[in-house]
Amino acid sequence: MEARAQAGDTASAGQGTNAAGTPEATQVDETGAPAQVPQPRTEDSQATEIVVTGFRASLTSALNAKRNETAAIDSIVAEDIGKFPDSNLAESMQRIPGVALSRGDGGEGRNISVRGLGAQFTRVRINGMEGVSQVSGSDIRGGVASGRSFDFVTFPTEIFSALSVRKTLSADVEEGSLGATVDLRAPKPFDQRGDDLVVTGTARGIYNDIRKKADPRLSALVSKKFGDTFGVLGSIAYSKRNIEEYAYSAVDVVPTTVYGQAQPAGTPNAGVIFPFCTPIGYSFNGSPATSPIPGYTQPNGVAIGADAANCSTGNPRTGTIEAYDYIMSRTGVNGRPGGGVYLPRLPRPVKSSQQQERIAGTLTLQWKPSDRTDISVDGLYSRFKVDRLDTYFDARSFGRAISNNGQPLTSVREIEVDDNGSLIHGLFDGVDLRSEMQDEHFTSTFRQVNLNIDHRFSDSFRIYGLAGINESLLDVDRLQVAIDSNDTRDFSIDFRDNPDIPKITYGIDTTNPALFQYGPPLANGDQRGQLSNFIRRNRIVSKTFELNGEWEAAPNFTVQVGGQYRTNRYTARERQLGTTTPLALPAGVSVADFAFVTSGVGKNLDGQLQDFVSIDPDRFREAVGLDDYVYCNLECARGTYGGVNEKYKSAYLMFKFNTEDSLPFAIRGDAGVRYVHTDLDTYGPITTANPAGSLYASRFEITDVRRSYEDWLPALNVAVDITPELIARFSAARVMSRPSYGQLIPAGSANLVIQTASFSNPFLEPIRANTFDASLEWYFAPGSLISVAYFFKDIETYIQTTSQQVAFQDIGLPLSLLTGTQLRPTDLFTVQRSNNTPGGPLRGFELNVQMPFRFLPGALSNFGALANFTRVRSNIDYIISPELSRTAPLVGLSPETASGTLYYEDKKFSIRSTVNYRSSFLTAVPSGSVDADSTANASSIFVDASASYNINDTIKLIAEVSNITNETNRLTVDTARKDPLYTAYFGRTFALAVNVQF
């Protein structure tokens, strides 16, 4: 028979006693995650098998696994079969010391950083195989993925039974992680105790208080054992979620000099940059100054209509001398007049509406013909599909040069900035407004199958290994369309009421489509909309073959050897429209035919911003006949065509030891070295000029780079059982982390609209570091822990993106790219390149407490708490420009993170609430902005809660709420100014669920 006890009882899952007298952990599989396999039955246990479930039991199981390890590993295990503690894997890991969460669309956990090292330094293994999960996002969230980081949002929690975060490495763990290796493990048939047949299912309804719509989330698991030797387990999870997110976005914050116009040679103020249209009768340095100068023409010879009274045709000079002098009096760090006034480049409200559909499943066949042999085949599939519509309403004059009739044609009537130059409020005329739509459909698909073999030939010799293949596929179709209303008056932007979200007024009815235009630009530089569309596919195929052997050469002394051969093949293919110039609308078609009004902006952004006219993507496609447009790639130098092929050959030798039989206390550990040889073959597009008479001015030529490198990676982990309750750990290792795929593809490209260019570097070396860890852990009571850990990483090398201003004619791209634009070869571009640079030290400490309150009387003994705090410091010398450098923390490093959970659990009822704090962290150094040293994510506090009630042994009711305090996501630019870059609201999310198990 089987008796089921809840977590409030004193029994604990799979817990025995080791030779040192300490509780023995749940068994751990080769991935490092708790395997939750049955322990050998004793004579007493054959009569009654006790299974403990619930949140407290999952904490105890994970703690037992941590206690028995020699390396620094923290785990989270399922509360019950098919029931993970949280609705998102990344959110679960927040409870682990040193783990900080980055949130994506709708506030859902996207990826993690560990001990200050960002997502790009964290490797994820699924059932023992390295995997990469790719998504696409808005540009503010990284755009289309091209790195090695793992996006946890693509996988539901229900298909996994355990995860572990390995913070220190052993020689038998493959290389590639600088921060941590996360192991995700799906359940197996023989993990389940007792019953030969287990069926469980959960149905959730999810509701967000901004979207105000209920969405389904369903999951089911069936496990069947056929006798004592063969089992089958299958699981499936499906969810559909509708998200609305509202935000203010500046896109960038730049000094007014960036898009201003320099006075020509031969004039009294030659070389001085005048940022805006000068007022009538304006003088500078005692000399008359008129900008744009009367009679100014674009490179095609067409005059813009500037004269003594007008900035351009129909756009009078209405600025005030007081406001202009105020701007020019502030020189800022660049020393130029006007360089000390910083304005948002494209101040705008943003509404993001999306529908997510996620389906995933696992299938495992497990054969255990004897206690010595375990063979399994694990299959996993996940598909994450997103349809997203983002609408924006830009004041684009502040982000365009005179070639696009931008900022130099705008008049300033009033302006005020603070001591740092940040805008407080301003009133402008001649402002070009733009309504922009981005319609994106992407699907992220992951498939994996692997064969696992584990056979013990004798009590002292064992062979185990795996062979597997996985594929990560990302398909993206993104359409961007804009409509313009030029030279509007009475535009104001005011931060006095809210420093994060300005009050913006536009001087026109922003919901009237009749005030907007779509079509090709005019010869004088006036823009009338924008069009772009790309179709992209990223594919990553990984194959792994691994074989390991263990030989117990003497009691408590084991020799372990192994080898691994892995291949990763990354390919990126992107086609774009052959023309990005809007064509004239067909006869009889107007903007009103494909327009709608974006609503809810004012209500959800504190009444600071307004609803606005937007483009309906489906009606636009039909109205302009977009399906008949031509796409191109290599022949027109648009999109991308590149790839990275990697081959890893590695081998290791490791010794595992335990002195429990030879010393008064046990010293457990492993010591070894891993050798890895990396072969790298990268290819990518370089833009070059097409022959005269070609359909397109430029084309791509594919460049191939081949190289190899090798690493020796020693590792040591030691755990000293000072007493049965007190454990000291020491670890040291050399580690390395490879560059992202996108950084390695040899490529160079330019964005002619915002005058930027970027170049990758196929010769980048990995980031390498030497690491040291020490900790002291006190298991003072069952299920309880107080620990402190110190860690240090000497990062020898780093990878930075350096930025500098370069004339287009000097950046290495063909001048033919300027054909058909208003740009001149001497126009300055912001050029970014990836380079290896020196690293720096990283050090920090963790405090961790886990404590069930069993010592309290009565019902109070069912309470418990867990809390942790991490403090990290790092110093990296960043190269801001050829003349400027800065010492700052690592990108993605929060100096302080903390998490606390208070819970109550008895046989019927469970409730818990978790608070997670993450201090501000840098997101980019340099920022990519002119005269700004960095961008940063502001600090955040997220509060979540969940509760469950067991109606009986079969049915459980569950309630959950996330982001109780309606926390926002805030980005800023520049350390001193902290100008608001992005502030988003995504609301609170509620869920009600019923779980059935029999």
Side-chain angles (χ1 to χ4, degrees):
M1 82 182 200
E2 176 181 312
R4 185 177 297 272
Q6 296 301 317
D9 295 340
T10 57
S12 45
Q15 183 172 307
T17 304
N18 64 21
T22 59
E24 188 177 49
T26 300
Q27 290 186 14
V28 177
D29 69 7
E30 296 309 315
T31 70
Q36 293 183 295
V37 297
Q39 302 291 329
R41 291 192 178 193
T42 65
E43 183 176 347
D44 294 333
S45 68
Q46 291 179 9
T48 302
E49 185 173 292
I50 298 178
V51 179
V52 179
T53 62
F55 182 67
R56 178 178 289 184
S58 74
L59 296 177
T60 300
S61 180
L63 197 63
N64 289 337
K66 175 182 178 67
R67 186 173 187 171
N68 204 46
E69 286 286 348
T70 55
I73 299 177
D74 290 286
S75 301
I76 296 175
V77 300
E79 298 181 30
D80 204 346
I81 182 170
K83 174 62 174 72
F84 218 71
D86 301 274
S87 59
N88 179 280
L89 292 168
E91 292 169 3
S92 287
M93 284 184 276
Q94 289 182 107
R95 292 198 304 273
I96 291 177
V99 175
L101 177 67
S102 295
R103 294 178 183 267
D105 296 331
E108 190 170 2
R110 180 171 173 179
N111 44 49
I112 63 167
S113 65
V114 181
R115 289 180 167 178
L117 293 165
Q120 69 271 30
F121 301 121
T122 298
R123 290 182 54 256
V124 175
R125 299 190 300 183
I126 302 174
N127 292 334
M129 273 193 66
E130 180 179 4
V132 175
S133 167
Q134 309 174 82
V135 300
S136 177
S138 56
D139 292 340
I140 200 74
R141 291 197 170 113
V144 179
S146 62
R148 301 176 191 267
S149 59
F150 191 92
D151 286 289
F152 291 92
V153 70
T154 60
F155 287 93
T157 61
E158 291 90 344
I159 65 172
F160 296 106
S161 60
L163 67 82
S164 66
V165 179
R166 182 184 294 267
K167 301 175 185 175
T168 64
L169 294 185
S170 302
D172 60 332
V173 178
E174 60 263 38
E175 75 297 330
S177 166
L178 198 66
T181 297
V182 176
D183 282 299
L184 304 178
R185 186 181 182 279
K188 294 178 180 289
F190 283 89
D191 292 352
Q192 318 313 322
R193 300 171 180 274
D195 294 340
D196 289 336
L197 175 65
V198 175
V199 180
T200 182
T202 302
R204 275 185 175 84
I206 300 174
Y207 176 86
N208 180 269
D209 64 358
I210 289 182
R211 176 63 176 175
K212 300 187 185 307
K213 183 177 180 179
D215 298 312
R217 179 167 179 165
L218 310 170
S219 64
L221 180 147
V222 178
S223 178
K224 172 66 175 175
K225 286 185 282 190
F226 300 88
D228 296 328
T229 62
F230 185 72
V232 179
L233 185 147
S235 69
I236 189 170
Y238 172 82
S239 65
K240 196 171 188 177
R241 187 181 180 196
N242 290 275
I243 294 173
E244 281 189 1
E245 185 173 312
Y246 292 86
Y248 161 73
S249 173
V251 179
D252 198 355
V253 179
V254 295
T256 60
T257 51
V258 170
Y259 295 108
Q261 184 185 21
Q263 288 287 286
T267 62
N269 292 296
V272 175
I273 295 176
F274 287 93
F276 294 98
C277 179
T278 54
I280 297 173
Y282 183 69
S283 294
F284 183 74
N285 286 338
S287 299
T290 303
S291 179
I293 60 172
Y296 173 84
T297 64
Q298 294 286 15
N300 59 8
V302 176
I304 66 172
D307 57 33
N310 296 277
C311 309
S312 59
T313 301
N315 179 24
R317 299 176 185 269
T318 59
T320 65
I321 293 175
E322 293 79 10
Y324 214 99
D325 281 340
Y326 182 86
I327 293 171
M328 299 299 282
S329 68
R330 295 174 177 267
T331 56
V333 298
N334 60 30
R336 292 181 177 273
V341 173
Y342 298 86
L343 301 182
R345 188 169 73 81
L346 293 174
R348 62 192 190 183
V350 180
K351 180 180 180 180
S352 179
S353 303
Q354 63 177 277
Q355 183 180 89
Q356 299 178 352
E357 186 178 52
R358 182 168 48 200
I359 186 169
T362 67
L363 179 64
T364 297
L365 309 178
Q366 188 175 12
W367 182 46
K368 298 186 71 173
S370 69
D371 291 339
R372 293 182 177 272
T373 303
D374 189 343
I375 300 174
S376 64
V377 176
D378 298 308
L380 184 145
Y381 172 84
S382 178
R383 188 193 71 191
F384 182 58
K385 183 179 179 182
V386 174
D387 298 322
R388 186 177 71 231
L389 178 65
D390 294 342
T391 53
Y392 318 86
F393 198 75
D394 313 337
R396 70 175 184 85
S397 287
F398 302 102
R400 297 292 185 269
I402 197 170
S403 58
N404 286 315
N405 283 0
Q407 184 178 289
L409 309 190
T410 298
S411 296
V412 187
R413 290 160 52 189
E414 298 177 11
I415 193 167
E416 180 184 4
V417 299
D418 65 17
D419 292 340
N420 291 320
S422 300
L423 180 66
I424 296 176
H425 72 94
L427 178 62
F428 307 87
D429 288 334
V431 176
D432 298 338
L433 303 179
R434 167 168 286 181
S435 176
E436 188 176 350
M437 172 274 292
Q438 179 174 290
D439 179 46
E440 180 172 88
H441 308 270
F442 78 82
T443 302
S444 177
T445 306
F446 185 88
R447 304 178 180 91
Q448 176 173 309
V449 61
N450 53 294
L451 170 68
N452 306 276
I453 299 176
D454 188 340
H455 179 69
R456 186 171 292 278
F457 290 88
S458 67
D459 291 341
S460 61
F461 184 62
R462 170 188 175 218
I463 293 289
Y464 60 95
L466 67 84
I469 181 172
N470 61 40
E471 177 190 56
S472 176
L473 192 65
L474 176 63
D475 288 301
V476 184
D477 185 343
R478 179 186 291 181
L479 170 68
Q480 291 177 284
V481 184
I483 52 178
D484 289 342
S485 181
N486 294 326
D487 297 332
T488 63
R489 300 172 60 82
D490 299 315
F491 174 87
S492 70
I493 179 168
D494 192 338
F495 284 94
R496 286 175 290 191
D497 291 340
N498 188 327
D500 296 319
I501 303 177
K503 183 177 182 64
I504 299 180
T505 58
Y506 299 94
I508 65 169
D509 180 0
T510 58
T511 64
N512 184 1
L515 301 179
F516 292 81
Q517 303 177 71
Y518 178 84
L522 300 180
N524 70 351
D526 274 349
Q527 300 293 301
R528 297 191 300 162
Q530 185 179 3
L531 171 66
S532 68
N533 190 194
F534 70 76
I535 301 172
R536 183 179 180 116
R537 166 167 282 194
N538 288 358
R539 185 194 300 268
I540 303 173
V541 177
S542 300
K543 300 176 182 177
T544 300
F545 304 92
E546 177 183 315
L547 187 64
N548 305 275
E550 276 187 358
W551 173 48
E552 189 175 4
N556 292 322
F557 184 81
T558 300
V559 179
Q560 186 171 323
V561 296
Q564 188 181 73
Y565 176 76
R566 290 184 291 147
T567 64
N568 284 348
R569 181 182 295 271
Y570 171 84
T571 57
R573 303 288 187 268
E574 181 183 299
R575 296 182 296 125
Q576 293 187 2
L577 285 174
T579 176
T580 57
T581 301
L583 303 180
L585 290 174
V589 175
S590 69
V591 171
D593 293 324
F594 51 81
F596 75 100
V597 174
T598 291
S599 60
V601 175
K603 180 177 65 175
N604 289 284
L605 290 175
D606 296 339
Q608 298 290 92
L609 301 170
Q610 302 177 22
D611 295 348
F612 52 87
V613 66
S614 298
I615 302 100
D616 182 287
D618 295 329
R619 289 161 56 195
F620 173 82
R621 289 177 185 271
E622 182 179 355
V624 305
L626 190 63
D627 292 341
D628 297 328
Y629 281 40
V630 175
Y631 291 79
C632 61
N633 178 222
L634 295 175
E635 68 274 25
C636 66
R638 293 201 177 105
T640 192
Y641 186 101
V644 178
N645 298 323
E646 296 172 317
K647 295 180 181 178
Y648 315 130
K649 303 169 187 174
S650 61
Y652 73 91
L653 172 65
M654 186 173 76
F655 303 99
K656 297 192 292 187
F657 54 87
N658 190 333
T659 66
E660 62 184 2
D661 295 332
S662 55
L663 291 177
F665 53 87
I667 301 177
R668 303 174 282 119
D670 60 71
V673 63
R674 186 178 192 89
Y675 168 80
V676 58
H677 180 92
T678 302
D679 289 309
L680 192 64
D681 181 1
T682 66
Y683 61 95
I686 300 296
T687 305
T688 187
N690 263 326
S694 300
L695 180 61
Y696 301 105
S698 305
R699 70 179 189 276
F700 279 150
E701 287 189 354
I702 304 303
T703 300
D704 186 89
V705 177
R706 297 186 181 187
R707 53 189 291 256
S708 63
Y709 53 88
E710 60 183 24
D711 288 272
W712 290 90
L713 305 172
L716 170 70
N717 293 283
V718 176
V720 181
D721 296 329
I722 301 173
T723 71
E725 294 79 26
L726 190 63
I727 300 175
R729 300 184 192 274
F730 305 92
S731 299
R734 182 168 177 80
V735 297
M736 57 90 83
S737 179
R738 297 180 175 89
S740 70
Y741 295 118
Q743 290 175 317
L744 290 171
I745 292 177
S749 62
N751 186 321
L752 303 182
V753 177
I754 60 175
Q755 295 178 213
T756 62
S758 60
F759 294 85
S760 56
N761 186 351
F763 296 99
L764 288 173
E765 288 290 319
I767 296 175
R768 297 182 172 96
N770 297 314
T771 69
F772 171 79
D773 292 76
S775 66
L776 191 63
E777 301 167 0
W778 181 31
Y779 299 86
F780 58 93
S784 303
L785 168 68
I786 296 177
S787 68
V788 59
Y790 170 82
F791 50 90
F792 173 80
K793 298 180 188 292
D794 178 17
I795 302 173
E796 296 179 352
T797 58
Y798 194 61
I799 296 173
Q800 294 183 38
T801 300
T802 56
S803 177
Q804 64 183 116
Q805 295 283 107
V806 181
F808 185 86
Q809 62 191 11
D810 298 324
I811 65 177
L813 295 176
L815 296 180
S816 60
L817 288 177
L818 304 184
T819 302
T821 74
Q822 303 298 335
L823 294 169
R824 292 178 168 89
T826 54
D827 287 342
L828 294 179
F829 275 59
T830 301
V831 180
Q832 296 183 326
R833 300 178 188 270
S834 298
N835 296 291
N836 282 110
T837 59
L842 179 150
R843 56 177 58 87
F845 67 87
E846 297 171 351
L847 299 175
N848 187 24
V849 177
Q850 181 171 317
M851 183 186 304
F853 298 162
R854 293 191 178 96
F855 53 87
L856 294 177
L860 295 178
S861 65
N862 295 320
F863 279 96
L866 52 150
N868 63 73
F869 172 79
T870 303
R871 183 180 187 272
V872 189
R873 295 291 184 269
S874 71
N875 291 291
I876 298 292
D877 291 327
Y878 291 96
I879 301 172
I880 306 299
S881 68
E883 299 81 24
L884 181 65
S885 63
R886 178 200 173 198
T887 300
L890 276 169
V891 169
L893 182 149
S894 290
E896 287 86 27
T897 58
S899 175
T901 299
L902 179 66
Y903 66 89
Y904 173 90
E905 190 168 62
D906 60 29
K907 294 181 178 180
K908 285 285 188 179
F909 181 67
S910 174
I911 186 170
R912 66 178 181 271
S913 181
T914 299
V915 179
N916 290 288
Y917 167 76
R918 182 175 187 180
S919 63
S920 175
F921 60 94
L922 301 177
T923 58
V925 180
S927 65
S929 305
V930 177
D931 294 344
D933 58 3
S934 61
T935 58
N937 206 119
S939 62
S940 61
I941 299 176
F942 282 88
V943 182
D944 307 315
S946 66
S948 64
Y949 179 76
N950 299 308
I951 294 177
N952 51 43
D953 288 344
T954 302
I955 301 175
K956 177 190 293 186
L957 302 180
I958 303 168
E960 300 165 335
V961 57
S962 60
N963 194 20
I964 294 173
T965 58
N966 198 24
E967 179 66 284
T968 60
N969 185 33
R970 294 171 293 134
L971 303 179
T972 62
V973 62
D974 195 73
T975 304
R977 303 195 314 267
K978 291 184 172 60
D979 288 326
L981 189 64
Y982 186 79
T983 303
Y985 289 81
F986 37 78
R988 304 171 181 86
T989 301
F990 305 86
L992 293 175
V994 58
N995 171 260
V996 179
Q997 179 176 334
F998 54 89

